[in-house]
Amino acid sequence: MPILATKLYVPPFRPNVVLRPCLIDRLDEGLQSRLILVSAPAGFGKTTIVSEWAAGCSRLEPEVHPAWLSLDEGDNDPARFLTYLVAALRTVAEDVGEEVLGMLQSSQPPSAESMLTALLNEITTLPQDIVLVLDDYHVVDSEPVDEALAFLLEHLPPQMHVVITTREDPRLPLAKWRARGQLTELRAADLRFTPSEAAKFLNRVMSLDLSAEDITALETRTEGWIVGLQLAALSIQGRSDAADFIQSFTGSHRFVLDYLVEEVLQRQPQRARDFLLQTAILDKLCGPLCDAVTGQKHGKRMLERLERDNLFVVPLDDLRQWYRYHHLFADALQAYLLEEQPDQLPALHRRASEWYEQNGSQSDAIRHALCSGDFEWAAGLIEQAGTLVEDSTQAAMWLNWVGALPDELIRARPVLSVWYAYALLGRGEMETAEAWLTDAERWLEPGQSRPEVVVDEEQLRSLLGTIGVARAYYAHSLGDVPGTVKHAQRVLELLPEDEQYRRAQATALMGMTYWASGDLAAADRVFVDYSASLLAAGNLSDAISATTVLTDVRPTLGRLREGADTLERLLQIVVDQGEPVPPDTADLYRGLAEFALERGDLAAAGEHLRRSKELGERGELPVWQWRWHVAQARLKTSEGDLVGALSELDEAQRLFIRTPLPDVRPISALKARIWASQGRVAEGLEWARERGLSVDDDPDYLHEFEHMTLARALIAQYENDQLDGAFRDAGTLLERLLHAAEQGGRTGSMIEILSMQARAHQAHGDTDLALAPLERALSLAEPEGYVRVFVDEGPPMIGLLQEVASRTIAPNSARRLLEAFPSTGSDGAHPSEARFAGSGSLSEREIEVLQYIAEGLTNQEIADRLYLSLYTVKAHARSIYDKLDAHSRTQAAARARELGILLL
């Protein structure tokens, strides 16, 4: 059945309806505004007038092509809404939206705004004008859909227009658009029939012969409500007492509904009346479906008859295969059925569910199963649909279904319990998911009887392996490496070779444990093989995810070039496959930016991060989001914008989510490093205390980065306060960290630790002792092109490198690194203040703050002038002092004048 087409069919314009030229003109004029809103209660002819206008859009100059989308409650799902929106547009522009449809099919679809941006960019290139009609928008009750539509309307290209018909005002910024003259509105007062229109409708269309007095009376009583007039006319037909009837035709909306049942429904033959009531539960009707629900064989003929008799049946396709009842009529039928024959409802819904299940409409089958109250039947259908939990666009809908089932029923079905746990794990509800896994495992204990209901024998047989993957995921998300290994190995032992998907998941989780344990070489092998197998299977999205793990592993191993080459080769595969580029590719660009930063190529790093952001914003990639901000913080740090870097880390922390990825470089540690470089030693040491870090800890890879950060804070403390204890503690800690890194083969870590040892000795005034670890660091770094690990140490490293070059220890390497330090002025010198004191290193905001500092304003006064918080001003001031090597306001102002920073 062409179900999709039913939503895209423009209701036919009947030539014998009342023509309403004034409303047509209003709609024509509305094309000059952002939105045409046709909002009125049920039965005011909203769809009729808009379909009449749409049918005549070809007369406009330039010609406007209508794209029609009839909405229903299923369109509350943003992915479904966007799918149908694109399908509607493709009825007038055949190839539009191809990229968006591809995004919607991905395992991690982009955000609605990203997809709409791509769609709008395509529409901008179209030669024709388009008007998108969203009919019955009141059935949508979804904030994400409202937000998506608002974004679309805010960014409409000039050749696109939107019309909304609705019974209630949508949750859109109507007041703003109204104030700006960007909204055209047709309300109930505009749509109601005038007396002359009512006369034409009643006497011409409904073939009545009413007097002017009767028409006026009826029009007054109905207040021009078109359906009310139609209901009245249907009742008048064949009556000899029309005038008396009209005089009695008054009352509330409820009265009209009662009247509809009593005077329209009950006037139908018994066969038609039974058909109407039994099929009232259906959102859409076709002959075979109606036959299944009613148990009769005349469904198609009955639908044709109802349409012919104007009994509120609306065709949904050109072939007259699918129909729907007028919403008001359907409401009345359902209310009457519930009141008079409630015992029929379960059986009717069950028959509808069975038909939909047999005809491949899974979601409709489940919806009617739940309405039937037959939860056993519903549970079976929901269990069969369990794989939807691994599709991010469907998981929420599946969770809503299973949430309607009694817990006891879920517990009686181990496969369903495990699917429920998988869905909860994907939402980060770890503890709740674990409880459902435990319930499922009870069925698999020795001596336990077989579950009474088994939907899929194969899934039951492989259930231990499926649970094992979930257990491994859960364990590693909580940092339980031994538990992860145990469960992942169990999966590999239990599942046969042909269970490739689950085995691959278990293998990847094993790789995570190697990574977290510090065996990075083993982790590297696992993810290289895993990525290759995914590529061979055509699973490009997961291959990207697996490969980007190497962004973290290989720099630590000291394999920069190989890591970057691997990412570039995979990126070429992505490029070669053409558009649309998977949103996951954003992580490849992020990884390339990380490698470029290590090599000191800030321009390349910035370009990679720009491209990463462009792609990543097309999809919902929560892990990429916070990791992108971390990479951006590193770039800002390298550019000397420490306040900006901290801001990026704040955003990363806000977006951070718990996953099985080892958190070996916590965001809080990255912040502490910046504090240490700013001289905020107390804050750095307080961070270490809060994390429970000590110089006496046994080194392990999972905390290696944090311990190196603690060492940096101790070195900074010695530089500030000349405390010998801080120097000794830093030296002892670095020595132990170096030994652990050597044992683990972590060359990248060794380079950083050695450079820190050199810095510590230099701070202690012993340049000769500093040169030995620095020479070793240079020899390890040169083959792979490490740069930032030295440059980010700042001015003190310049002096050490100059000393290295002068003693011909490693002159070429030292000179190349010295060239990586930014210079100031035109003399080409490398003053130690170059990066940290040059005006180019100050951001525009910092220069503003510096100007007010020089004028003598207090921090609070500066905050008031710039509309900033006091904390933000203090942070900018600390960064300015650091960059200018100043220790007071007076010094900062004087140093800025020396450097030629304009303070106007």
Side-chain angles (χ1 to χ4, degrees), residues 528-726:
V528 167
D529 292 344
Y530 182 38
S531 177
S533 65
L534 290 167
L535 276 176
N539 190 343
L540 184 57
S541 178
D542 285 347
I544 291 172
S545 298
T547 302
T548 50
V549 168
L550 304 179
T551 304
D552 298 283
V553 171
R554 286 189 170 169
T556 308
L557 285 171
R559 294 158 60 184
L560 279 187
R561 299 185 190 282
E562 185 182 1
D565 288 346
T566 300
L567 265 60
E568 286 169 353
R569 285 197 299 271
L570 183 54
L571 180 60
Q572 189 59 52
I573 292 173
V574 173
V575 171
D576 289 345
Q577 76 165 9
E579 296 290 339
V581 176
D584 311 74
T585 309
D587 230 8
L588 287 179
Y589 282 105
R590 180 195 60 79
L592 287 171
E594 296 275 12
F595 285 115
L597 280 170
E598 292 287 0
R599 296 193 304 269
D601 190 346
L602 302 190
E607 178 58 27
H608 287 318
L609 285 175
R610 185 199 62 77
R611 179 60 173 151
S612 176
K613 189 172 190 286
E614 179 183 297
L615 288 170
E617 288 180 341
R618 297 181 185 177
E620 294 182 8
L621 306 172
V623 178
W624 165 84
Q625 277 189 308
W626 68 263
R627 288 168 68 87
W628 183 90
H629 284 287
V630 168
Q632 186 73 7
R634 285 197 64 199
L635 177 60
K636 286 184 178 294
T637 299
S638 297
E639 292 170 341
D641 183 5
L642 301 185
V643 173
L646 286 172
S647 177
E648 293 289 347
L649 291 176
D650 284 340
E651 184 65 8
Q653 201 157 43
R654 185 184 70 82
L655 296 169
F656 180 82
I657 62 169
R658 187 170 55 174
T659 72
L661 290 171
D663 191 17
V664 293
R665 294 191 173 200
I667 295 168
S668 62
L670 294 167
K671 287 184 175 182
R673 290 188 167 211
I674 294 177
W675 295 336
S677 68
Q678 291 177 318
R680 298 159 64 181
V681 177
E683 291 171 81
L685 293 175
E686 178 60 26
W687 161 81
R689 280 191 291 272
E690 289 176 355
R691 293 289 293 176
L693 298 170
S694 166
V695 294
D696 298 321
D697 294 338
D698 291 330
D700 65 81
Y701 172 66
L702 201 55
H703 299 94
E704 180 180 74
F705 187 82
E706 290 181 291
H707 281 126
M708 285 194 287
T709 304
L710 172 57
R712 287 184 178 278
L714 290 169
I715 294 171
Q717 184 183 34
Y718 176 75
E719 288 177 321
N720 280 8
D721 304 327
Q722 299 298 301
L723 296 176
D724 288 336

Side-chain angles (χ1 to χ4, degrees), residues 726-791:
F727 172 75
R728 286 194 301 271
D729 285 345
T732 301
L733 180 56
L734 287 172
E735 194 61 42
R736 294 167 64 224
L737 290 172
L738 180 60
H739 178 72
E742 289 171 336
Q743 293 293 107
R746 298 190 293 274
T747 304
S749 297
M750 292 168 60
I751 294 170
E752 182 174 355
I753 295 166
L754 288 164
S755 68
M756 289 171 64
Q757 286 182 324
R759 279 276 290 107
H761 286 302
Q762 183 201 44
H764 199 242
D766 197 334
T767 301
D768 288 337
L769 281 179
L771 295 182
L774 181 56
E775 179 185 4
R776 187 179 176 200
L778 292 172
S779 66
L780 292 172
E782 184 173 20
E784 294 292 326
Y786 286 85
V787 171
R788 291 319 303 183
V789 68
F790 300 102
V791 175

